Amino acid sequence: DVQMTQSPSNLAASPGESVSINCKASKSISKYVAWYQQKPGKANKLLIYSGSTLQSGTPSRFSGSGSGTDFTLTIRNLEPEDFGLYYCQQHNEYPRTFGGGTKLEL
Amino acid sequence: EVQLVESGGGLVKPGASLKLSCVASGFTFSDYWMSWVRQTPGKTMEWIGDIKYDGSYTHYAPSLKNRFTISRDNAKSTLYLQMSNVRSEDTATYYCTRTNPYWYFDFWGPGTMVTVSS
């Protein structure tokens, strides 16, 4: 199985700042990483897929980069609604696997 | 608007069986692979498995394939997860997801919580 190591597990930031969340795969997965946002009381939301492609409706302050084994989700100019839990997931092979999550808090 | 609504969760004793359902709307259910994903109380996210759009093929997480079965009824736009011989470590929130042809999850339901305890 492809292990996805996500870091940091916790991240504190203020509105207007930029943050980065990293995911490292245990083997090359080409560009196939998706990023999700989880907020209380809301359905999980797909933000980015295939490493850097924004899902329809994802604000442009979100960006994804990386290929092979190292991937990054960057959020620029944080908005209050961006605080929550973020996960990476590899969609290159079975079984699909997720990172451990990053809690982004104020 | 795509909607996925899970049901069937609750408190169940170790060793028992439980069947979860997910009713889909807002898209042509029979055109999509569908998946189940669960999240433990510690927030670990785990893929359970998926099923082809016509129900002819399934994949499972190796650790779960002997106890969990995914099925679907396209006439009812409903996805199912049959859980057998449940264990305490199956305690989690279970999510139904629509699977994009490139194998990521583009829509999620709100989840149904399963607690395994005697």
Side-chain angles (χ1 to χ4, degrees):
Chain A
D1 299 2
V2 179
Q3 307 302 317
M4 300 295 286
T5 303
Q6 190 172 338
S7 62
S9 52
N10 292 283
L11 188 53
S14 300
E17 293 183 343
S18 295
V19 296
S20 291
I21 299 170
N22 301 298
C23 241
K24 188 173 186 67
S26 59
K27 61 185 261 192
S28 177
I29 53 171
S30 185
K31 63 178 180 177
Y32 297 112
V33 159
W35 293 93
Y36 303 91
Q37 180 191 62
Q38 184 177 67
K39 300 185 70 173
K42 292 191 171 185
N44 296 339
K45 183 181 177 185
L46 171 69
L47 298 172
I48 287 169
Y49 60 90
S50 297
S52 61
T53 304
L54 264 61
Q55 171 72 345
S56 175
T58 300
S60 59
R61 62 181 180 275
F62 289 85
S63 64
S65 63
S67 65
T69 60
D70 292 290
F71 301 86
T72 300
L73 171 70
T74 300
I75 314 171
R76 292 185 170 79
N77 193 19
L78 277 167
E79 296 280 349
E81 61 265 29
D82 297 336
F83 294 93
L85 198 50
Y86 290 83
Y87 290 93
C88 61
Q89 175 239 333
Q90 63 84 13
H91 57 103
N92 185 61
E93 63 182 65
Y94 284 112
R96 315 302 178 202
T97 46
F98 290 84
T102 295
K103 185 176 183 180
L104 174 59
E105 50 193 352
L106 192 64
Chain B
E1 179 192 7
V2 172
Q3 285 199 322
L4 301 168
V5 181
E6 305 91 341
S7 62
L11 177 62
V12 61
K13 294 186 188 305
S17 296
L18 190 66
K19 190 171 188 176
L20 307 182
S21 301
C22 169
V23 176
S25 60
F27 65 102
T28 304
F29 183 70
S30 57
D31 284 349
Y32 286 86
W33 286 68
M34 297 292 293
S35 304
W36 286 97
V37 175
R38 69 183 183 181
Q39 184 177 34
T40 67
K43 301 300 185 183
T44 298
M45 202 76 80
E46 181 181 21
W47 174 78
I48 295 169
D50 60 22
I51 185 167
K52 193 176 179 180
Y53 42 82
D54 61 359
S56 64
Y57 201 53
T58 51
H59 293 105
Y60 296 96
S63 61
L64 298 174
K65 70 178 296 181
N66 293 330
R67 297 189 298 118
F68 287 15
T69 302
I70 297 173
S71 61
R72 64 193 295 163
D73 183 339
N74 285 347
K76 296 181 178 179
S77 295
T78 301
L79 178 72
Y80 301 102
L81 177 65
Q82 177 71 53
M83 305 166 61
S84 61
N85 190 24
V86 296
R87 307 164 180 169
S88 58
E89 53 263 39
D90 296 323
T91 293
T93 298
Y94 286 74
Y95 295 101
C96 162
T97 70
R98 194 178 82 168
T99 304
N100 179 277
Y102 284 92
W103 311 114
Y104 52 86
F105 312 118
D106 57 6
F107 288 95
W108 297 61
T112 187
M113 193 174 299
V114 173
T115 302
V116 181
S117 175
S118 55

